[in-house]
Amino acid sequence: MMHPCPSCRSRLRATGQYLCPGCWSSLPTATRRALRRRDGAALARLRDLHGQLDRGVPLAEITMAEAGSG
């Protein structure tokens, strides 16, 4: 099933993808790495992503804390 991208709203993303491929590739590498992690904080990171998108933060400036790494 396909859904509209929450960032550009013009392209589709597949179920299980946070953004369409074009928007995903615009995120900083560290942000993509953090969003790929499947742990107890994954849902909080997804909410943080959506919050930043709602506030109009440019994709290239979206950051995620990587708590617990290192």
Side-chain angles (χ1 to χ4, degrees):
M1 179 174 260
M2 301 296 279
H3 307 279
C5 175
S7 176
C8 67
R9 303 197 194 288
S10 62
R11 291 177 283 210
L12 296 176
R13 63 180 174 87
T15 299
Q17 292 181 332
Y18 296 143
L19 302 171
C20 70
C23 291
W24 180 259
S25 67
S26 296
L27 291 172
T29 302
T31 299
R32 290 194 312 265
R33 185 180 317 116
L35 288 167
R36 277 190 209 108
R37 291 185 59 205
R38 302 290 187 236
D39 59 14
L43 184 57
R45 285 190 296 273
L46 178 59
R47 288 181 180 144
D48 186 20
L49 171 66
H50 283 271
Q52 291 184 62
L53 291 172
D54 290 344
R55 290 189 303 278
V57 177
L59 289 170
E61 297 176 17
I62 291 179
T63 59
M64 298 281 134
E66 290 195 63
S69 64

